[in-house]
Amino acid sequence: MQSKITSCDLTQVETPCLILGVFSERQLSDAAKTIDAASNGALSGVLEKGDLDGKTGSALMLYGIGGVAAERLLLVNCGKHEELDRRAYEKALKAVFAQLAAARIDNALCTLTALEPNGMDSYQCVRHSLLLAAQDAYRYTQTKKPASDAPAPLETLDCWIADSGQTEPAERAVAHGLAIAEGVALARELSNLPGNICTPTYLADQATAVAQHSAKLKVEVLDEAAMAELGMGALLSVSRGSRQPAQLILMHYRGGSDEDKPIVLVGKGLTFDAGGISIKPAEAMDEMKYDMCGGAGVIGTLRALCALDLPLNVIGVVPASENLPDGAANKPGDIVTSLSGQTIEILNTDAEGRLILCDALTYVERFDPDLVIDMATLTGACIVGLGRHPSGLFSNNDALAEALTQAGEVSADRVWRMPLWDDYQQQLDSNFADMANIGGRDGGAITAACFLSRYTKAYTWAHLDIAGTAWLTGKEKGATGRPVPLLSQFLLDRIGQDA
Ligand code: BES
Ligand code: MN
Ligand code: ZN
């Protein structure tokens, strides 16, 4: 995806397609008014005929309009002017992408970016538009080629702003939007790949390849022997049931000064979760290839960070493994010793995410982190509790929870905070070990977070349960790239460089 900012004369601009907003009640946006005046009232004539009445997202392509240099005009209804918020804006933009695809147009100039929906400034509007455009242009092609008559993805979306004085923040928005889009696309691609291609080793190779994008990034991978040497008994107990060796991926991004403590991002990289001996039912088990979406979120965020080139120290950590039934696999009742020294009774081998995460979370203590955020497709219970709109947020620090909540609002990648009260901890009691790996049916997302909290006492920490947000199920099945937008925003906020 390519894009540039312009505040050119819209009547003179040569473009395959000029995108113009109109509002319900037959009202033209300012950009559309300019074109209307130059074309002898062609647009108001169309509105009078009622062709664009109806809903937000109604759109109409116009050809051969005189008095303007653009080859085509695409009018889109953005709803009621006073009600234009992000949701309406997104709806209009999605209609635009559908129209461009239908007309096989891969290069357009968008003036909707000048509309400034409620709650979004010009920077945010441009950035969000480009992220959505890039997400719309994403195609999964590694194991399925597009039909020969399928529309090519949009290649160029230039953005028009009314005030040339705003060019600088708008250009920053382009750079940021495209950088975040790179990270989102990588996360989606890794997530969509099947378990027989995207193995722990493949994930490690792809993380290593991200280092090509920045001299500030160094990637290191610990193998099972190194993990055994360290004493990662919980993590290794999961991979023992798999023929694919576990990998601990460490991505060191050094953009800050030596004294800056690192922000550590930890992602569950379970490349396929069959449940182990506590095997899952067959229905939708294929979707457990998405159990590495937390790891993909970390790798994608580091990819975005390389493109954003932020002056921060960030360390990405991805424990990667499969969880399969096997003669060597964990059995219910088995007890393992984690890197922290705490023992764990494995009452359900399907609660494996917390087993690989707990050792990674103990390991990162050595980095003396400023804060740690882990992300994981950890529990089906999180989907039951929150549905598929927000990610579940848990934290031992109110300021961090607030910062992530805000970043989620701004990036349209929202989170909802859940409790981490001590009252829940007793559900993890075991008669034979320091803790059990499951806490019963009640509050399953919370007891999973409580389990992790026993390994994160040494630092400021937040946990994101992305089970409901990392991929779409059903006909639209595919990875979303979440929480890359959220974390990118969080990192931008850390240096106050988002406007
Ligand atoms: N990866 C799953 C969680 C999951 C399931 C995410 C479905 C998204 C959709 C995780 O490893 C798991 O199996 N969790 C169990 C925990 C239970 C055994 C306490 C679950 O949620 O059922
Ligand atoms: Mn599981
Ligand atoms: Zn899992």
Side-chain angles (χ1 to χ4, degrees), residues 127-128 131 135 180-181 183-184 187 297 300-301 304 407-408 410-414 480-492:
R127 192 182 98 184
H128 197 56
L131 180 56
Q135 289 211 239
I180 296 167
V184 168
T301 301
V410 172
S411 61
D413 185 358
R414 293 196 286 181
T480 61
R482 292 175 70 179
V484 174
L486 164 70
L487 292 165
S488 301
Q489 182 63 46
F490 177 80
L491 295 176
L492 284 166

Side-chain angles (χ1 to χ4, degrees), residues 268 270 273-275 278 280 284 287-288 290-291 323 347-354 376-383 388 437-441 444-445 447-448 465-468 471:
K268 175 179 175 184
L270 217 295
D273 180 15
S278 314
K280 287 180 181 295
E287 294 189 10
M288 283 298 109
Y290 288 119
D291 212 15
N323 185 30
L347 291 177
N348 188 320
T349 67
D350 198 9
E352 84 299 335
R354 60 199 81 181
T377 48
L378 201 62
T379 65
C382 191
I383 311 178
R388 296 178 188 267
N437 78 327
I438 54 170
R441 252 177 57 85
T447 51
D465 194 328
I466 59 171
W471 75 92

Side-chain angles (χ1 to χ4, degrees), residues 157-227:
L157 186 70
D158 293 332
C159 301
W160 187 78
I161 56 170
D163 175 6
S164 61
Q166 290 298 307
T167 301
E168 206 204 314
E171 284 178 342
R172 191 153 61 237
V174 169
H176 290 180
L178 295 179
I180 296 167
E182 289 289 340
V184 168
L186 177 59
R188 290 175 76 184
E189 186 71 2
L190 293 173
S191 303
N192 283 330
L193 285 169
N196 64 327
I197 295 177
C198 185
T199 60
T201 305
Y202 182 90
L203 215 48
D205 290 345
Q206 294 303 304
T208 305
V210 175
Q212 292 165 3
H213 296 282
S214 172
K216 294 176 179 142
L217 181 65
K218 300 273 178 291
V219 180
E220 176 193 2
V221 180
L222 302 192
D223 63 11
E224 290 192 342
M227 289 186 260

Side-chain angles (χ1 to χ4, degrees), residues 45-111:
V46 168
L47 289 196
E48 272 159 36
K49 291 213 161 60
D51 289 36
L52 271 171
D53 289 355
K55 298 201 182 88
T56 311
S58 310
L60 188 64
M61 191 78 82
L62 303 176
Y63 297 83
I65 299 290
V68 297
E71 283 172 49
R72 306 171 186 81
L73 303 178
L74 175 54
L75 301 188
V76 59
N77 185 336
C78 299
K80 289 193 179 142
H81 196 176
E82 61 283 4
E83 289 176 9
L84 183 64
D85 58 6
R86 179 157 59 204
R87 271 176 75 89
Y89 186 82
E90 282 182 7
K91 205 167 172 188
L93 209 52
K94 280 182 184 149
V96 164
F97 300 146
Q99 289 281 330
L100 292 176
R104 306 249 176 321
I105 297 168
D106 64 5
N107 179 339
L109 171 59
C110 184
T111 67

